Coordinates of all heavy atoms in Angstrom, one line a residue:
M27 N 12.7 10.5 18.1 CA 11.9 10.5 16.9 C 10.7 9.5 17.1 O 10.9 8.4 17.6 CB 12.7 10.1 15.7 CG 11.9 10.1 14.5 SD 12.9 9.6 13.1 CE 13.0 11.2 12.3
A28 N 9.5 10.0 16.8 CA 8.3 9.2 17.0 C 8.3 8.1 15.9 O 8.7 8.3 14.8 CB 7.1 10.0 16.9
K29 N 7.8 6.9 16.3 CA 7.7 5.8 15.4 C 6.4 5.9 14.6 O 5.3 6.2 15.2 CB 7.7 4.5 16.1 CG 7.7 3.3 15.2 CD 7.8 2.0 16.0 CE 7.7 0.8 15.1 NZ 7.7 -0.4 15.8
R30 N 6.4 5.7 13.3 CA 5.2 5.7 12.5 C 4.4 4.5 12.7 O 5.0 3.4 12.6 CB 5.6 5.8 11.0 CG 4.5 5.9 10.1 CD 4.9 6.1 8.7 NE 3.8 5.8 7.8 CZ 3.7 4.8 7.0 NH1 4.6 3.8 7.0 NH2 2.6 4.6 6.2
I31 N 3.1 4.6 12.9 CA 2.3 3.5 13.2 C 1.5 3.2 11.9 O 0.8 4.1 11.4 CB 1.3 3.7 14.3 CG1 2.1 3.9 15.6 CG2 0.3 2.6 14.5 CD1 1.3 4.3 16.8
K32 N 1.6 2.0 11.3 CA 0.9 1.7 10.1 C -0.5 1.4 10.4 O -0.8 0.6 11.3 CB 1.6 0.5 9.4 CG 2.9 0.8 8.8 CD 3.4 -0.4 8.0 CE 4.7 -0.1 7.3 NZ 5.2 -1.2 6.5
L33 N -1.4 1.9 9.6 CA -2.8 1.5 9.7 C -3.2 0.3 8.9 O -2.6 0.1 7.8 CB -3.7 2.7 9.3 CG -3.7 4.0 10.1 CD1 -4.5 5.0 9.4 CD2 -4.1 3.7 11.5
L34 N -4.1 -0.5 9.4 CA -4.5 -1.7 8.6 C -5.3 -1.2 7.4 O -5.9 -0.1 7.4 CB -5.4 -2.6 9.4 CG -4.7 -3.3 10.6 CD1 -5.8 -4.0 11.4 CD2 -3.7 -4.2 10.1
P35 N -5.4 -1.9 6.3 CA -6.1 -1.5 5.1 C -7.6 -1.1 5.4 O -8.1 -0.2 4.8 CB -6.0 -2.7 4.2 CG -4.8 -3.4 4.6 CD -4.7 -3.2 6.1
Q36 N -8.2 -1.9 6.3 CA -9.6 -1.6 6.7 C -9.7 -0.2 7.3 O -10.7 0.4 7.2 CB -10.2 -2.7 7.6 CG -10.3 -4.0 6.9 CD -9.0 -4.8 6.9 OE1 -8.0 -4.4 7.5 NE2 -9.0 -5.9 6.2
E37 N -8.7 0.2 8.1 CA -8.8 1.4 8.8 C -8.5 2.6 7.8 O -8.9 3.7 8.0 CB -7.7 1.5 9.9 CG -8.1 0.5 11.0 CD -6.9 0.3 12.0 OE1 -5.8 0.9 11.8 OE2 -7.1 -0.4 13.0
R38 N -7.9 2.3 6.7 CA -7.6 3.3 5.6 C -8.8 3.4 4.7 O -8.8 4.3 3.8 CB -6.4 2.9 4.8 CG -5.1 3.1 5.6 CD -3.9 3.0 4.7 NE -3.9 1.7 4.1 CZ -2.9 0.8 4.2 NH1 -1.9 1.1 5.0 NH2 -3.0 -0.4 3.6
G39 N -9.8 2.5 4.8 CA -10.9 2.6 3.9 C -10.8 1.8 2.6 O -11.5 2.0 1.6
T40 N -10.0 0.7 2.7 CA -9.9 -0.2 1.5 C -10.1 -1.6 2.0 O -9.9 -2.0 3.1 CB -8.5 -0.1 0.9 OG1 -7.5 -0.4 1.8 CG2 -8.2 1.3 0.3
V41 N -10.4 -2.5 1.0 CA -10.6 -3.9 1.2 C -9.6 -4.6 0.3 O -9.5 -4.2 -0.8 CB -12.0 -4.3 1.0 CG1 -12.2 -5.8 1.2 CG2 -13.0 -3.6 1.8
L42 N -9.0 -5.7 0.8 CA -8.1 -6.5 0.0 C -8.7 -7.7 -0.5 O -9.5 -8.4 0.2 CB -6.8 -6.9 0.9 CG -6.1 -5.7 1.5 CD1 -4.9 -6.2 2.4 CD2 -5.5 -4.8 0.4
F43 N -8.5 -8.1 -1.7 CA -9.0 -9.3 -2.4 C -7.9 -10.1 -2.9 O -6.9 -9.6 -3.4 CB -10.0 -8.9 -3.5 CG -11.3 -8.4 -3.1 CD1 -11.5 -7.0 -2.8 CD2 -12.3 -9.2 -2.9 CE1 -12.7 -6.5 -2.4 CE2 -13.6 -8.7 -2.4 CZ -13.7 -7.4 -2.2
D44 N -8.1 -11.5 -2.9 CA -7.3 -12.4 -3.6 C -8.0 -12.9 -4.8 O -9.2 -13.2 -4.8 CB -7.0 -13.6 -2.7 CG -6.1 -13.3 -1.5 OD1 -5.3 -12.4 -1.6 OD2 -6.2 -14.0 -0.5
V45 N -7.3 -12.8 -5.9 CA -7.9 -13.1 -7.2 C -7.2 -14.3 -7.8 O -6.0 -14.4 -7.9 CB -7.8 -11.9 -8.2 CG1 -8.5 -12.2 -9.5 CG2 -8.3 -10.6 -7.6
V46 N -8.0 -15.3 -8.3 CA -7.5 -16.4 -9.0 C -8.1 -16.3 -10.5 O -9.3 -16.2 -10.7 CB -7.9 -17.8 -8.4 CG1 -7.4 -19.0 -9.2 CG2 -7.4 -17.9 -7.0
F47 N -7.2 -16.4 -11.4 CA -7.6 -16.3 -12.8 C -7.7 -17.7 -13.5 O -7.3 -18.7 -12.9 CB -6.5 -15.5 -13.6 CG -6.4 -14.1 -13.1 CD1 -5.4 -13.7 -12.2 CD2 -7.3 -13.1 -13.5 CE1 -5.3 -12.4 -11.7 CE2 -7.2 -11.8 -13.0 CZ -6.2 -11.5 -12.2
D48 N -8.4 -17.7 -14.6 CA -8.6 -19.0 -15.3 C -7.4 -19.7 -15.7 O -7.4 -21.0 -15.8 CB -9.5 -18.7 -16.6 CG -10.9 -18.5 -16.3 OD1 -11.4 -18.9 -15.2 OD2 -11.6 -17.9 -17.1
D49 N -6.3 -19.0 -15.9 CA -5.0 -19.7 -16.3 C -4.3 -20.2 -15.1 O -3.2 -20.8 -15.2 CB -4.1 -18.7 -17.1 CG -3.7 -17.5 -16.3 OD1 -4.1 -17.4 -15.2 OD2 -2.9 -16.7 -16.9
G50 N -4.9 -20.1 -13.9 CA -4.3 -20.6 -12.7 C -3.4 -19.7 -11.9 O -2.9 -20.0 -10.8
S51 N -3.1 -18.5 -12.5 CA -2.3 -17.5 -11.8 C -3.1 -16.8 -10.7 O -4.4 -16.9 -10.7 CB -1.7 -16.5 -12.8 OG -2.8 -15.8 -13.4
R52 N -2.4 -16.2 -9.8 CA -3.1 -15.6 -8.6 C -2.5 -14.2 -8.4 O -1.3 -14.0 -8.5 CB -2.8 -16.5 -7.4 CG -3.5 -16.0 -6.2 CD -3.2 -17.0 -5.0 NE -3.7 -16.4 -3.8 CZ -3.2 -16.6 -2.6 NH1 -2.2 -17.4 -2.5 NH2 -3.7 -16.0 -1.6
A53 N -3.4 -13.3 -8.0 CA -3.0 -12.0 -7.6 C -3.5 -11.7 -6.2 O -4.7 -11.8 -5.9 CB -3.6 -10.9 -8.5
S54 N -2.6 -11.5 -5.3 CA -3.0 -11.3 -3.9 C -3.1 -9.8 -3.5 O -2.3 -9.0 -4.1 CB -2.0 -11.9 -2.9 OG -1.9 -13.3 -3.1
N55 N -3.9 -9.5 -2.6 CA -4.1 -8.2 -2.0 C -4.3 -7.1 -3.1 O -3.7 -6.0 -3.1 CB -2.8 -7.8 -1.2 CG -2.6 -8.7 0.0 OD1 -3.6 -9.3 0.5 ND2 -1.4 -8.9 0.4
R56 N -5.3 -7.3 -3.9 CA -5.8 -6.3 -4.8 C -6.6 -5.4 -4.0 O -7.6 -5.8 -3.4 CB -6.6 -6.9 -6.0 CG -5.8 -7.8 -6.9 CD -4.8 -7.0 -7.8 NE -5.3 -6.3 -8.9 CZ -5.5 -6.8 -10.1 NH1 -5.2 -8.0 -10.4 NH2 -6.1 -6.1 -11.0
R57 N -6.3 -4.1 -4.0 CA -6.9 -3.1 -3.1 C -8.1 -2.4 -3.8 O -7.9 -1.9 -4.9 CB -5.8 -2.1 -2.8 CG -5.9 -1.5 -1.5 CD -4.7 -0.6 -1.2 NE -3.5 -1.3 -0.9 CZ -3.2 -1.6 0.3 NH1 -3.9 -1.2 1.3 NH2 -2.1 -2.2 0.6
L58 N -9.2 -2.3 -3.1 CA -10.4 -1.6 -3.6 C -11.0 -0.7 -2.5 O -11.0 -1.1 -1.4 CB -11.5 -2.6 -4.1 CG -11.1 -3.5 -5.3 CD1 -12.2 -4.5 -5.5 CD2 -10.9 -2.6 -6.5
P59 N -11.5 0.4 -2.9 CA -12.2 1.3 -1.9 C -13.4 0.7 -1.3 O -14.2 0.0 -2.0 CB -12.5 2.6 -2.6 CG -12.2 2.3 -4.0 CD -11.5 1.0 -4.2
M60 N -13.6 0.8 0.0 CA -14.7 0.3 0.8 C -16.1 0.8 0.3 O -17.0 0.1 0.4 CB -14.5 0.5 2.3 CG -14.4 -0.7 3.1 SD -14.3 -0.2 4.8 CE -12.9 -1.2 5.3
E61 N -16.1 2.1 -0.1 CA -17.4 2.7 -0.4 C -18.0 2.0 -1.6 O -19.2 2.2 -1.8 CB -17.3 4.2 -0.6 CG -16.4 4.6 -1.7 CD -15.0 5.0 -1.2 OE1 -14.7 4.7 -0.1 OE2 -14.2 5.4 -2.1
N62 N -17.3 1.3 -2.5 CA -17.8 0.7 -3.7 C -18.4 -0.7 -3.4 O -19.0 -1.3 -4.2 CB -16.8 0.6 -4.7 CG -16.3 1.9 -5.2 OD1 -17.0 2.9 -5.1 ND2 -15.1 1.9 -5.8
L63 N -18.2 -1.2 -2.2 CA -18.6 -2.6 -1.8 C -19.8 -2.6 -0.8 O -20.1 -1.6 -0.3 CB -17.4 -3.3 -1.2 CG -16.1 -3.3 -2.1 CD1 -15.0 -3.9 -1.3 CD2 -16.4 -4.0 -3.4
G64 N -20.3 -3.8 -0.7 CA -21.4 -4.0 0.3 C -22.7 -3.7 -0.3 O -22.9 -3.8 -1.5
G65 N -23.7 -3.5 0.6 CA -25.1 -3.4 0.1 C -25.6 -4.7 -0.4 O -25.2 -5.8 -0.1
L66 N -26.7 -4.6 -1.2 CA -27.3 -5.8 -1.7 C -26.5 -6.5 -2.8 O -26.7 -7.7 -3.0 CB -28.7 -5.4 -2.4 CG -29.7 -4.8 -1.4 CD1 -30.9 -4.3 -2.1 CD2 -30.0 -5.8 -0.3
D67 N -25.6 -5.8 -3.5 CA -24.8 -6.5 -4.5 C -23.6 -7.3 -3.9 O -23.0 -8.0 -4.6 CB -24.2 -5.4 -5.4 CG -25.3 -4.7 -6.2 OD1 -26.3 -5.3 -6.4 OD2 -25.1 -3.6 -6.6
G68 N -23.3 -7.1 -2.6 CA -22.2 -7.8 -2.0 C -20.9 -7.5 -2.7 O -20.5 -6.3 -2.8
D69 N -20.1 -8.5 -3.1 CA -18.8 -8.2 -3.7 C -18.8 -8.2 -5.2 O -17.8 -8.2 -5.9 CB -17.8 -9.3 -3.3 CG -17.4 -9.2 -1.8 OD1 -17.6 -8.0 -1.3 OD2 -16.9 -10.1 -1.2
Q70 N -20.0 -8.2 -5.9 CA -20.1 -8.1 -7.3 C -19.4 -6.8 -7.9 O -18.8 -6.9 -8.9 CB -21.5 -8.2 -7.8 CG -21.7 -8.2 -9.3 CD -20.9 -9.3 -10.0 OE1 -20.8 -10.4 -9.5 NE2 -20.4 -9.0 -11.2
P71 N -19.6 -5.6 -7.2 CA -18.9 -4.5 -7.7 C -17.4 -4.6 -7.7 O -16.7 -4.1 -8.5 CB -19.3 -3.3 -6.8 CG -20.6 -3.8 -6.2 CD -20.5 -5.3 -6.1
A72 N -16.9 -5.4 -6.7 CA -15.4 -5.7 -6.7 C -15.0 -6.5 -7.9 O -13.9 -6.2 -8.5 CB -15.1 -6.4 -5.4
H73 N -15.8 -7.4 -8.3 CA -15.5 -8.2 -9.5 C -15.4 -7.3 -10.7 O -14.4 -7.4 -11.5 CB -16.6 -9.3 -9.7 CG -16.3 -10.3 -10.7 ND1 -16.5 -10.1 -12.0 CD2 -15.7 -11.6 -10.6 CE1 -16.1 -11.2 -12.7 NE2 -15.6 -12.1 -11.8
D74 N -16.3 -6.4 -10.8 CA -16.3 -5.5 -12.0 C -15.1 -4.6 -11.9 O -14.4 -4.3 -13.0 CB -17.6 -4.7 -12.0 CG -18.8 -5.6 -12.2 OD1 -18.7 -6.7 -12.7 OD2 -19.9 -5.1 -11.8
L75 N -14.8 -4.0 -10.7 CA -13.6 -3.1 -10.6 C -12.3 -3.8 -10.9 O -11.4 -3.2 -11.5 CB -13.6 -2.5 -9.2 CG -14.7 -1.4 -9.0 CD1 -14.7 -1.0 -7.5 CD2 -14.5 -0.2 -9.8
I76 N -12.2 -5.0 -10.4 CA -10.9 -5.8 -10.6 C -10.8 -6.1 -12.1 O -9.7 -6.1 -12.7 CB -10.9 -7.0 -9.7 CG1 -10.6 -6.5 -8.3 CG2 -9.7 -7.9 -10.1 CD1 -10.6 -7.6 -7.2
E77 N -11.9 -6.4 -12.8 CA -11.9 -6.7 -14.2 C -11.4 -5.4 -15.0 O -10.6 -5.5 -15.9 CB -13.2 -7.1 -14.8 CG -13.5 -8.5 -14.6 CD -14.9 -8.9 -15.2 OE1 -15.7 -8.0 -15.5 OE2 -15.1 -10.1 -15.3
Q78 N -11.8 -4.2 -14.5 CA -11.4 -3.0 -15.1 C -9.9 -2.8 -14.9 O -9.1 -2.4 -15.8 CB -12.2 -1.8 -14.6 CG -13.6 -1.7 -15.0 CD -14.3 -0.6 -14.3 OE1 -13.8 0.1 -13.5 NE2 -15.6 -0.4 -14.7
Q79 N -9.4 -3.0 -13.6 CA -8.0 -2.9 -13.3 C -7.2 -3.9 -14.2 O -6.1 -3.5 -14.7 CB -7.8 -3.3 -11.8 CG -8.2 -2.2 -10.9 CD -7.9 -2.7 -9.4 OE1 -7.5 -3.8 -9.1 NE2 -8.1 -1.7 -8.5
E80 N -7.7 -5.1 -14.3 CA -6.9 -6.1 -15.1 C -6.9 -5.7 -16.6 O -5.8 -5.9 -17.2 CB -7.6 -7.5 -14.9 CG -6.9 -8.6 -15.7 CD -5.5 -8.8 -15.2 OE1 -5.1 -8.5 -14.1 OE2 -4.7 -9.2 -16.1
A81 N -7.9 -5.1 -17.1 CA -7.9 -4.6 -18.5 C -6.9 -3.5 -18.7 O -6.1 -3.5 -19.7 CB -9.3 -4.2 -18.9
E82 N -6.8 -2.6 -17.7 CA -5.8 -1.5 -17.8 C -4.4 -2.1 -17.7 O -3.5 -1.7 -18.5 CB -6.0 -0.5 -16.7 CG -7.3 0.3 -16.8 CD -7.6 1.1 -15.6 OE1 -6.7 1.3 -14.7 OE2 -8.7 1.7 -15.6
I83 N -4.1 -3.0 -16.8 CA -2.8 -3.6 -16.6 C -2.4 -4.4 -17.9 O -1.3 -4.2 -18.4 CB -2.8 -4.5 -15.4 CG1 -3.0 -3.7 -14.1 CG2 -1.5 -5.4 -15.4 CD1 -3.2 -4.6 -12.9
A84 N -3.4 -5.1 -18.5 CA -3.1 -5.9 -19.7 C -2.8 -5.0 -20.9 O -1.9 -5.3 -21.7 CB -4.3 -6.8 -20.0
Q85 N -3.5 -3.9 -21.0 CA -3.3 -2.9 -22.1 C -1.9 -2.4 -22.0 O -1.2 -2.3 -23.0 CB -4.3 -1.8 -22.0 CG -4.2 -0.8 -23.2 CD -5.1 0.3 -23.1 OE1 -5.8 0.5 -22.0 NE2 -5.3 1.1 -24.1
K86 N -1.5 -2.0 -20.8 CA -0.1 -1.4 -20.6 C 1.0 -2.5 -20.8 O 2.0 -2.1 -21.3 CB 0.0 -0.9 -19.2 CG -0.8 0.4 -18.9 CD -0.7 0.9 -17.5 CE -1.6 2.1 -17.3 NZ -1.5 2.6 -15.9
A87 N 0.7 -3.7 -20.5 CA 1.6 -4.8 -20.7 C 1.6 -5.3 -22.1 O 2.5 -6.1 -22.5 CB 1.4 -5.9 -19.7
G88 N 0.6 -5.0 -22.9 CA 0.5 -5.4 -24.3 C 0.1 -6.9 -24.4 O 0.6 -7.6 -25.3
R89 N -0.7 -7.3 -23.5 CA -1.2 -8.7 -23.6 C -2.7 -8.7 -23.4 O -3.3 -7.7 -22.9 CB -0.6 -9.6 -22.5 CG -0.8 -9.1 -21.1 CD -0.4 -10.1 -20.0 NE -0.4 -9.5 -18.7 CZ -1.5 -9.4 -18.0 NH1 -2.7 -9.7 -18.5 NH2 -1.5 -8.8 -16.8
P90 N -3.4 -9.8 -23.7 CA -4.9 -9.9 -23.5 C -5.2 -9.9 -22.0 O -4.4 -10.5 -21.2 CB -5.3 -11.1 -24.2 CG -4.1 -12.0 -24.3 CD -2.9 -11.0 -24.4
P91 N -6.3 -9.4 -21.6 CA -6.7 -9.5 -20.2 C -7.1 -10.9 -19.8 O -7.6 -11.7 -20.5 CB -7.9 -8.5 -20.0 CG -8.4 -8.3 -21.4 CD -7.3 -8.6 -22.4
R92 N -6.7 -11.2 -18.5 CA -7.1 -12.5 -18.0 C -8.5 -12.5 -17.4 O -8.9 -11.5 -16.9 CB -6.1 -12.9 -16.9 CG -4.7 -13.0 -17.3 CD -3.7 -13.3 -16.2 NE -3.6 -12.1 -15.3 CZ -2.8 -12.0 -14.3 NH1 -2.0 -13.1 -14.0 NH2 -2.8 -11.0 -13.5
T93 N -9.2 -13.6 -17.5 CA -10.5 -13.7 -16.9 C -10.5 -14.2 -15.5 O -9.7 -15.1 -15.2 CB -11.5 -14.6 -17.8 OG1 -10.8 -15.9 -17.9 CG2 -11.7 -14.0 -19.2
I94 N -11.3 -13.7 -14.7 CA -11.3 -14.0 -13.2 C -12.1 -15.3 -13.0 O -13.3 -15.4 -13.4 CB -12.0 -12.9 -12.4 CG1 -11.1 -11.6 -12.6 CG2 -12.1 -13.3 -11.0 CD1 -11.7 -10.4 -11.9
Q95 N -11.5 -16.3 -12.3 CA -12.2 -17.5 -12.0 C -12.8 -17.4 -10.6 O -13.9 -17.8 -10.4 CB -11.2 -18.7 -12.0 CG -11.7 -20.0 -11.6 CD -10.7 -21.1 -11.6 OE1 -9.5 -20.8 -11.8 NE2 -11.1 -22.3 -11.3
N96 N -12.0 -16.9 -9.6 CA -12.5 -16.8 -8.3 C -12.0 -15.5 -7.6 O -10.9 -15.1 -7.8 CB -11.9 -18.0 -7.5 CG -12.5 -18.2 -6.1 OD1 -13.5 -17.5 -5.8 ND2 -11.9 -19.0 -5.3
L97 N -12.9 -14.9 -6.8 CA -12.6 -13.7 -6.1 C -13.0 -13.8 -4.6 O -14.1 -14.1 -4.3 CB -13.3 -12.5 -6.7 CG -13.1 -11.2 -6.2 CD1 -11.8 -10.6 -6.5 CD2 -14.2 -10.2 -6.7
T98 N -12.0 -13.7 -3.7 CA -12.3 -13.8 -2.3 C -11.6 -12.7 -1.5 O -10.6 -12.2 -1.9 CB -11.8 -15.1 -1.7 OG1 -10.4 -15.2 -1.9 CG2 -12.5 -16.3 -2.3
R99 N -12.3 -12.3 -0.4 CA -11.7 -11.2 0.4 C -10.5 -11.8 1.1 O -10.5 -13.0 1.6 CB -12.6 -10.7 1.5 CG -13.7 -9.8 0.9 CD -14.6 -9.3 2.0 NE -15.7 -8.5 1.4 CZ -16.0 -7.3 1.7 NH1 -15.4 -6.7 2.7 NH2 -17.0 -6.7 1.1
A100 N -9.4 -11.1 1.2 CA -8.2 -11.5 1.9 C -8.4 -11.5 3.4 O -9.2 -10.7 3.9 CB -7.0 -10.6 1.5
A101 N -7.8 -12.4 4.0 CA -7.9 -12.5 5.5 C -7.3 -11.2 6.1 O -6.3 -10.7 5.6 CB -7.2 -13.7 6.0
K102 N -7.9 -10.8 7.2 CA -7.3 -9.6 7.9 C -6.0 -10.0 8.5 O -5.9 -11.1 9.1 CB -8.3 -9.2 9.0 CG -9.5 -8.5 8.5 CD -10.4 -8.0 9.7 CE -11.6 -7.4 9.2 NZ -12.5 -6.9 10.2
P103 N -5.0 -9.2 8.4 CA -3.7 -9.5 9.0 C -3.8 -9.5 10.5 O -4.5 -8.7 11.1 CB -2.7 -8.5 8.5 CG -3.6 -7.4 8.0 CD -4.9 -7.9 7.7
E104 N -3.0 -10.4 11.2 CA -3.1 -10.4 12.6 C -2.2 -9.3 13.2 O -1.2 -8.9 12.6 CB -2.5 -11.7 13.1 CG -3.4 -12.9 12.8 CD -2.8 -14.2 13.4 OE1 -2.1 -14.1 14.4 OE2 -3.2 -15.3 12.9
A105 N -2.7 -8.7 14.3 CA -2.0 -7.6 14.9 C -0.6 -8.1 15.4 O -0.5 -9.1 16.0 CB -2.8 -7.0 16.0
K106 N 0.4 -7.3 15.2 CA 1.7 -7.6 15.7 C 1.8 -7.1 17.1 O 1.3 -6.0 17.4 CB 2.8 -6.9 14.8 CG 2.8 -7.5 13.4 CD 3.9 -6.8 12.6 CE 3.9 -7.3 11.2 NZ 4.9 -6.6 10.3
P107 N 2.6 -7.8 17.9 CA 2.7 -7.3 19.3 C 3.5 -6.0 19.3 O 4.4 -5.8 18.5 CB 3.5 -8.4 20.0 CG 4.1 -9.2 18.9 CD 3.3 -9.0 17.7
V108 N 3.1 -5.1 20.2 CA 3.7 -3.8 20.3 C 5.0 -3.9 21.2 O 5.0 -4.5 22.3 CB 2.7 -2.8 21.0 CG1 3.4 -1.5 21.1 CG2 1.5 -2.7 20.2
R109 N 6.1 -3.4 20.6 CA 7.3 -3.3 21.4 C 7.4 -2.1 22.3 O 6.9 -1.0 21.9 CB 8.5 -3.3 20.4 CG 8.8 -4.6 19.8 CD 10.2 -4.5 19.2 NE 10.2 -4.8 17.8 CZ 11.2 -4.6 17.0 NH1 12.3 -4.1 17.4 NH2 11.1 -4.9 15.7
E110 N 8.0 -2.2 23.4 CA 8.1 -1.0 24.3 C 9.5 -0.5 24.2 O 10.4 -1.0 23.9 CB 7.7 -1.4 25.7 CG 6.3 -1.8 25.8 CD 5.9 -2.2 27.2 OE1 6.6 -1.8 28.1 OE2 4.9 -2.9 27.4

C-alpha cells in the first residue's frame, strides 16, 4: 500500500497565522487562503479575515468576540527526514 504524503500548508495554497488577543490568549495556526494575502496591503486582509472568523466563532460559542492584539505568520514547519 502506498504511503500518503502530506503537503505543507503553503503547497496547499494556505498561510498559517499565530494570533494573540488582548486578553492574553493565543490561537496558533489559523489558516487563510493565499490568494487573499500579499500585494500592497500585506497582511492587513488577513487581520480582517481573522476578525470575521473570530466573530463567527464567538457567535456560535455565545460570547463576545475577542480583539486581536498581534498577528504574525507562523514559521514554516521543518521538513521531516524521509524513511526508506
Side-chain angles (χ1 to χ4, degrees):
M27 177 179 253
K29 183 178 178 184
R30 179 177 169 253
I31 298 174
K32 290 185 178 181
L33 295 176
L34 294 174
Q36 293 81 8
E37 294 169 356
R38 288 189 301 242
T40 58
V41 179
L42 301 176
F43 284 90
D44 291 331
V45 184
V46 178
F47 297 98
D48 282 339
D49 62 358
S51 60
R52 180 176 173 213
S54 297
N55 297 335
R56 296 289 285 269
R57 212 175 283 269
L58 295 175
M60 243 184 224
E61 63 265 4
N62 296 340
L63 306 175
L66 297 176
D67 294 333
D69 289 341
Q70 183 57 36
H73 190 276
D74 300 336
L75 288 171
I76 290 177
E77 280 183 343
Q78 290 174 358
Q79 286 180 353
E80 182 60 30
E82 292 172 9
I83 292 168
Q85 182 183 13
K86 290 178 183 177
R89 61 170 171 76
R92 301 177 288 183
T93 55
I94 297 173
Q95 177 184 4
N96 188 13
L97 179 73
T98 57
R99 286 184 186 230
K102 291 183 181 179
E104 293 185 23
K106 294 181 182 178
V108 178
R109 284 198 237 168
E110 294 182 20

